[in-house]
Amino acid sequence: MRRPPLTNDFSWSKSRHEKFSECLRSYYFYYYRSWGGWEADAPKDVRELYVLKKLANRYSWAGSVVHECLKDVLLDWRAGRAVDPAVVEAKARKVMQDDFRFSRGKGYWTQKYRKQFTGLVEHEYADAVPDEAWKQNWETVRSALAWFFSSRWPQLAHSLKPEQWLEVDAGFDFAHFTLDGLKVFAIPDFAFVDADGTPVVVDWKTGRSRDGYDEQVLGYALYVSQRYRFPVEKVRAALVYLNEGKEQDVSVDLGAMESFRRHFETSVSRMRSLLKDPVTNTPLEASAFPPSEDLSPCMRCVFRRPCGREAAVLERQAAAQQAPSPQQVA
């Protein structure tokens, strides 16, 4: 039985909102022009955009490796299997070594590798990344895992009864809910019911705190509320900064949820204003999605070549390398 053809349906997520807010051209490439790039007969430019959109930068790569490790660890604990932290660390290191070699060879243009990783933008554009920076990338992963295993979370996970486990990073196919008739993607890293019956959603972070994270976990709270039929104000949410060794509770009260709804409605309205046909999610012409006037987002953008900004980025990078360091100035 043949599956129905894929359709590019409109949906909302925190990451989509951020891309829309940062650069409209990048947003257009990512969500519209690259659509269908996986097909064997896709136009060359569409295929290029599709491959590029799958690339990560070294920071998000480190974060994704940590998330994959913690997902496997939690699922093992849920199933009653023992976990050796040293084995987890060694596996993460081997995965990153293999990832690095594959990406450096740009194999992503001709072959599939693994679902969670395609390649790195630093290799695609031959960015000048010193060896010490790559070593620090591994150290980010190692220290995040080390802190997790020494924290309160292993004991908490082991204390949960089977019925207290809700989800562990369930993925896009499962973790979404409906808000105002629109599909919203929200994938909590860990969701459970604590000893007093309170549902808890957790988001692991390898970076530092920044604006927007609260909205992300509020979306998780709405998702858990809908899927498991909890009053949303009863849900507790936490951001856990693995490399800083700290936890931050996020208020899930009616005021916070109303703020989230206003943020969501404004974001959706702005996105839909650039659609020729909202029913079919057909965008306006590319000219309605101009590139960012600020070059800063281009420095880490996967689309700098098709956007025509590659030369400008190289000039900016060269200037940054020639600029005196603070120590030299002092």
Side-chain angles (χ1 to χ4, degrees), residues 24-260:
L24 290 177
R25 180 58 54 85
S26 177
Y27 173 83
Y28 172 75
F29 282 161
Y30 192 96
Y31 288 100
Y32 292 105
R33 185 57 189 159
S34 62
W35 180 259
W38 60 86
E39 300 287 0
D41 59 349
K44 184 178 179 180
D45 67 314
V46 175
R47 171 64 181 172
E48 179 187 20
L49 292 173
Y50 177 74
V51 173
L52 292 176
K53 74 177 279 186
K54 297 292 185 179
L55 300 181
N57 61 54
R58 63 186 185 275
Y59 306 108
S60 60
W61 173 47
S64 68
V65 170
V66 171
H67 280 74
E68 290 164 29
C69 288
L70 297 190
K71 177 180 179 178
D72 289 344
V73 166
L74 288 169
L75 289 176
D76 278 342
W77 286 340
R78 183 177 188 174
R81 293 186 289 266
V83 172
D84 183 343
V87 172
V88 174
E89 179 181 317
K91 181 180 178 181
R93 188 173 180 85
K94 177 66 164 56
V95 165
M96 293 188 77
Q97 289 171 337
D98 291 345
D99 285 355
F100 185 89
R101 283 191 288 267
F102 179 82
S103 176
R104 185 175 55 189
K106 297 186 179 181
Y108 46 83
W109 285 106
T110 57
Q111 58 187 293
K112 292 183 178 180
Y113 175 55
R114 66 183 185 93
K115 185 177 181 180
Q116 299 91 341
F117 178 82
T118 299
L120 295 168
V121 64
E122 289 89 347
H123 288 141
E124 176 59 27
Y125 290 101
D127 291 345
V129 181
D131 289 344
E132 194 57 39
W134 290 115
K135 292 176 182 177
Q136 181 56 50
N137 221 50
W138 160 246
E139 180 58 25
T140 295
V141 173
R142 189 206 63 76
S143 62
L145 294 175
W147 182 85
F148 172 81
F149 282 115
S150 67
S151 72
R152 70 185 183 93
W153 292 99
Q155 182 178 358
L156 185 149
H158 281 110
S159 73
L160 297 177
K161 299 175 182 177
E163 61 272 17
Q164 289 178 267
W165 290 81
L166 294 179
E167 293 182 17
V168 178
D169 189 2
F172 282 101
D173 293 337
F174 183 83
H176 51 78
F177 66 99
T178 301
L179 186 60
D180 294 343
L182 184 65
K183 180 183 284 188
V184 176
F185 289 100
I187 310 172
D189 293 326
F190 186 26
F192 62 95
V193 178
D194 71 11
D196 65 5
T198 300
V200 182
V201 291
V202 180
D203 193 39
W204 314 120
K205 296 294 185 187
T206 52
R208 294 185 176 183
S209 174
R210 65 180 177 87
D211 292 342
Y213 285 161
D214 285 16
E215 285 90 350
Q216 184 177 9
V217 291
L218 289 176
Y220 296 164
L222 272 173
Y223 162 69
V224 166
S225 171
Q226 276 199 23
R227 181 167 290 277
Y228 298 101
R229 302 184 182 280
F230 290 106
V232 68
E233 65 273 16
K234 299 295 185 184
V235 181
R236 282 190 13 236
L239 291 162
V240 180
Y241 295 94
L242 299 161
N243 290 96
E244 295 184 328
K246 69 177 186 180
E247 301 181 25
Q248 174 190 337
D249 290 332
V250 177
S251 177
V252 187
D253 55 31
L254 295 181
M257 299 315 303
E258 181 58 33
S259 177
F260 175 86

